């Protein structure tokens, strides 16, 4: 007999038919006559109840069915007598795949803290909470590919190992095969990277954007979706050292087209989650954040507020708030400023544009005022920045001048500059942090709880 997933059993199971199910035991209680086993196989947040007649099954076998053990059961689907479930399996056969020692299994009692569960990341997928989060994460990844595919974007794989250190988005992790205990040296005493694997210094990418642009300037519309790495020592609930990023890049889009796409994209994902992850969202709404589903619906129903950085600074300067970081034209907005605009002032998502060029990357399109660039950041409630993007500078001379001003080595950007020499085109793009999206969709408060195995400063366990 073939296995039926609990999800399919609960939605399409036929009463009085026999099924085989497999999964992990959540609870087991019983008396002299009858035993009740709640089984979960991760296909859905709900368990299936297995009813085992104590006169049919050996006591020895029933004793081994403890919380966390893995079993296979064959039985008949019947309407449930008890409360809490419509149907249950009346067991005919039970086989134990793996026992689970109740003395040492860490997931015995309910209500472990999220902090504790982080220390057992190898087992936390077996909890309701992490089952829900990781299923939602899966659905969002799928929805992202679906969205871009349906719009004719090409999924472009940009490299993870990069030879340039000018991607401009953060500190990089070095990639090397050199013997750290015995480094080859040049005549003037520096490390001789010509002996390294790639014959030059290499790192893990902080963004696929620059290569993404090369794709857009040939295929019109591309997106990347892959891991990115930042060695920034930021111990915040919104930063990881390894995170996933979605970076669409589009030829013939100006900054307004870029904003329209970003807003439509996020709203599509929120709607997709509400439609496809209903049970998991209801669970998280009930257990962690009673406002979660309201907040998701609110985002769908309201246009994002669009204003310039300069307008935002004026609002912040007039705000009667005790900000920790001072506000002045030219300052990099801190999370507290972003959240004031989103949560207190506009009470909805905000897109800020036209930032001072000094606080943004070299490739952003320069405005005529000589001071600002065509950047756009999308700011979200509880998260702050969820998307960072811009229209790109497509003028060869302007881009080259900025590269020289910032003393970016030519060897790192010659190929990037050539796209502006050979058939340049107006183009734009943005980066959405996948885990920040999942934070928003799940209502979780810490980014370590929305990725299966978080990498943060001093932590690469599991
Ligand atoms: P922040 O100011 O929050 O550090 P950033 O300006 O460094 O963000 P970008 O370089 O614009 O971010 O990256 C694009 C997107 O990637 C961000 O909008 C955010 O959603 C996400 N992101 C950036 N850094 C991290 C990180 N360390 N961990 C998780 N997501 C991140
Ligand atoms: Mn950053």
């Amino acid at each position: 007999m073939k296995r039926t997933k609990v999800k399919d059993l609960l939605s399409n199971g036929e009463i009085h038919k026999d099924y085989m199910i497999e999964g992990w035991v959540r609870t087991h209680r019983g008396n002299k006559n009858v035993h009740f086993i709640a089984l979960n196989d991760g296909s859905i947040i709900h368990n299936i109840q297995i009813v085992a007649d104590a006169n049919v099954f050996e006591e020895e076998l029933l004793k081994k069915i403890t919380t966390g053990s893995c079993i296979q059961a064959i039985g008949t689907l019947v309407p449930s007598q008890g409360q809490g479930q419509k149907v249950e399996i009346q067991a005919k056969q039970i086989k134990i795949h793996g026992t689970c020692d109740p003395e040492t299994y860490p997931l015995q009692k309910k209500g472990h803290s999220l902090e504790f569960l982080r220390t057992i990341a190898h087992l936390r997928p077996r909890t309701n909470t992490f089952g829900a989060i990781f299923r939602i994460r899966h659905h969002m990844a799928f929805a992202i590919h679906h969205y871009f595919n349906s719009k004719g974007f090409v999924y472009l794989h940009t490299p993870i190992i990069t030879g340039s250190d000018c991607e401009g988005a953060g500190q990089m992790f070095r990639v090397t095969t050199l013997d750290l205990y015995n480094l080859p040296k040049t005549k003037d005493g520096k490390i001789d990277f010509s002996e390294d694997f790639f014959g030059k210094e290499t790192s893990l990418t902080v963004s696929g954007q620059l290569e993404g642009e090369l794709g857009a300037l040939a295929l019109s519309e591309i997106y990347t979706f892959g891991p990115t790495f930042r060695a920034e020592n930021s111990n915040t609930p919104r930063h990881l050292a390894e995170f996933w990023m979605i970076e669409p890049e589009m030829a013939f889009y100006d900054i307004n087209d870029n904003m329209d796409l970003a807003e439509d994209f996020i709203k599509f994902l929120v709607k997709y989650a509400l439609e496809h992850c209903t049970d998991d969202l209801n669970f998280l709404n009930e257990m962690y954040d009673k406002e979660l589903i309201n907040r998701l619906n609110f985002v769908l129903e309201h246009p994002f507020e669009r204003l310039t950085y300069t307008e935002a600074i004026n609002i912040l300067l007039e705000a009667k708030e005790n900000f920790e970081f001072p506000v002045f034209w030219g300052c990099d907005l801190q999370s507290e400023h972003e959240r004031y605009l989103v949560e207190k002032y506009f009470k909805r998502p905000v897109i800020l544009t036209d930032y001072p060029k000094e606080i943004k990357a070299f490739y952003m399109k320069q405005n005529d005022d000589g001071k600002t660039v065509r950047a756009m950041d999308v700011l979200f409630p509880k998260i702050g920045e969820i998307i960072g993007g811009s229209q790109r500078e497509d003028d060869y001379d302007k881009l080259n001048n900025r590269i020289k001003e910032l003393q970016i080595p030519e060897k790192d950007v010659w190929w990037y500059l050539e796209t502006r020499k050979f058939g340049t085109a107006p183009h734009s793009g943005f980066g959405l942090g996948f885990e920040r999206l999942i934070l928003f969709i799940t209502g979780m408060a810490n980014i370590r709880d929305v990725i299966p195995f978080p990498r943060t400063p001093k932590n690469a366990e599991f």
Side-chain angles (χ1 to χ4, degrees):
M1 191 180 251
K2 263 177 75 179
R3 170 184 168 228
T4 300
K5 291 189 188 197
V6 172
K7 180 181 186 217
D8 299 331
L9 193 61
L10 292 178
S11 55
N12 304 321
E14 284 173 43
I15 296 294
H16 302 315
K17 216 179 133 181
D18 282 2
Y19 291 95
M20 190 261 268
I21 50 179
E22 295 176 297
W24 292 268
V25 173
R26 285 293 167 81
T27 56
H28 176 190
R29 63 197 164 79
N31 55 36
K32 283 199 307 275
N33 304 316
V34 62
H35 286 241
F36 300 98
I37 302 155
L39 195 76
N40 189 285
D41 68 358
S43 60
I44 188 171
I45 192 143
H46 305 299
N47 304 325
I48 181 88
Q49 173 158 282
I50 299 168
V51 184
D53 188 334
N55 303 314
V56 174
F57 294 96
E58 299 280 336
E59 202 187 323
E60 274 309 297
L61 178 104
L62 290 172
K63 260 198 218 155
K64 287 186 190 151
I65 302 174
T66 58
T67 297
S69 62
C70 184
I71 65 169
Q72 179 194 79
I74 294 175
T76 314
L77 191 70
V78 295
S80 177
Q81 314 287 312
Q83 283 186 344
Q85 64 278 320
K86 284 207 184 80
V87 291
E88 61 197 21
I89 287 282
Q90 188 69 52
K92 290 179 173 168
Q93 290 174 38
I94 296 176
K95 184 175 142 190
I96 303 207
H97 283 315
T99 56
C100 182
D101 174 23
E103 298 299 313
T104 51
Y105 185 53
L107 287 176
Q108 280 296 337
K109 48 183 196 305
K110 290 185 178 167
H112 292 298
S113 73
L114 293 169
E115 288 78 8
F116 170 72
L117 291 173
R118 265 173 235 150
T119 69
I120 51 164
H122 59 310
L123 295 172
R124 69 177 182 169
R126 295 205 198 167
T127 62
N128 282 333
T129 298
F130 286 92
I133 292 168
F134 298 148
R135 277 188 299 272
I136 292 172
R137 193 181 156 105
H138 157 76
H139 282 290
M140 289 294 91
F142 186 82
I144 285 162
H145 287 297
H146 176 78
Y147 179 85
F148 286 122
N149 182 54
S150 70
K151 283 190 162 322
F153 283 53
V154 172
Y155 179 28
L156 189 80
H157 295 96
T158 51
I160 288 174
I161 298 175
T162 174
S164 89
D165 60 2
C166 72
E167 288 168 343
Q171 290 298 306
M172 303 180 94
F173 289 99
R174 196 180 279 284
V175 173
T176 181
T177 55
L178 291 179
D179 179 357
L180 296 182
Y181 296 98
N182 184 19
L183 289 169
K185 295 281 171 65
T186 59
K187 281 198 196 96
D188 48 359
K190 297 205 171 109
I191 297 168
D192 185 2
F193 284 103
S194 71
E195 303 238 334
D196 205 347
F197 188 90
F198 295 104
K200 63 193 277 193
E201 283 184 71
T202 49
S203 311
L204 294 177
T205 185
V206 294
S207 156
Q209 179 200 318
L210 300 188
E211 290 92 349
E213 285 185 50
L214 311 181
L217 291 171
L219 302 161
S220 291
E221 289 151 321
I222 65 95
Y223 70 105
T224 71
F225 185 176
T228 43
F229 307 86
R230 296 191 186 177
E232 43 193 13
N233 197 3
S234 22
N235 267 299
T236 80
R238 291 168 299 105
H239 287 92
L240 290 164
E242 175 181 300
F243 64 100
W244 288 67
M245 187 148 59
I246 300 100
E247 295 181 279
E249 193 70 38
M250 301 75 64
F252 320 118
Y253 273 53
D254 68 12
I255 184 142
N256 292 310
D257 303 322
N258 204 18
M259 284 193 275
D260 291 345
L261 181 75
E263 183 167 344
D264 185 64
F265 177 46
I266 297 201
K267 284 181 170 170
F268 172 86
L269 296 175
V270 170
K271 191 156 177 270
Y272 191 98
L274 285 166
E275 283 168 8
H276 293 82
C277 310
T278 319
D279 288 351
D280 290 328
L281 286 176
N282 283 339
F283 171 80
L284 295 172
N285 193 83
E286 185 60 32
M287 298 298 291
Y288 291 97
D289 182 351
K290 297 267 189 308
E291 278 306 302
L292 173 62
I293 290 177
N294 285 342
R295 201 161 51 241
L296 296 177
N297 278 311
F298 183 88
V299 163
L300 277 189
E301 287 154 13
H302 295 82
F304 296 2
E305 190 73 35
R306 300 180 186 189
L307 68 158
T308 65
Y309 167 91
T310 304
E311 288 166 332
I313 289 291
N314 289 334
I315 290 170
L316 291 169
L317 284 172
E318 278 165 28
K320 309 236 167 341
E321 287 286 304
N322 277 325
F323 292 125
E324 189 187 337
F325 294 90
V327 176
F328 55 93
W329 197 95
C331 74
D332 207 352
L333 294 183
Q334 302 293 327
S335 175
E336 56 173 346
H337 307 135
E338 297 174 343
R339 293 183 61 173
Y340 173 81
L341 293 168
V342 173
E343 288 163 29
K344 292 205 176 147
Y345 194 86
F346 290 111
K347 298 197 165 65
R348 64 177 63 177
V350 169
I351 311 183
L352 290 189
T353 59
D354 303 289
Y355 282 71
K357 65 176 179 199
E358 281 74 24
I359 57 171
K360 288 293 179 186
F362 72 95
Y363 49 71
M364 296 192 182
K365 187 161 182 64
Q366 298 161 33
N367 283 319
D368 293 336
D369 63 11
K371 292 191 302 191
T372 60
V373 288
R374 240 164 264 181
M376 57 159 230
D377 281 7
V378 181
L379 313 179
F380 254 52
K382 292 188 76 184
I383 312 285
E385 181 188 327
I386 193 165
I387 281 180
S390 69
Q391 185 169 343
R392 319 304 188 190
E393 183 55 79
D394 50 88
D395 181 277
Y396 181 87
D397 292 325
K398 284 187 182 162
L399 183 61
N400 199 23
N401 287 340
R402 190 73 186 131
I403 285 171
K404 291 219 172 87
E405 261 170 37
L406 295 171
Q407 299 180 346
I408 298 170
E410 216 215 300
K411 69 167 177 41
D412 285 342
V413 285
W414 65 270
W415 47 270
Y416 183 73
L417 261 169
E418 283 204 345
T419 56
R420 275 61 169 174
K421 202 153 76 183
F422 304 135
T424 191
H427 63 289
S428 301
F430 61 79
L432 167 70
F434 188 49
E435 286 74 20
R436 300 234 179 131
L437 171 79
I438 306 299
L439 273 179
F440 180 71
I441 301 276
T442 59
M444 288 288 110
N446 194 311
I447 200 161
R448 292 163 181 75
D449 297 329
V450 296
I451 187 166
F453 305 103
R455 268 79 183 101
T456 50
K458 300 278 178 284
N459 174 46
E461 189 75 354
F462 308 106

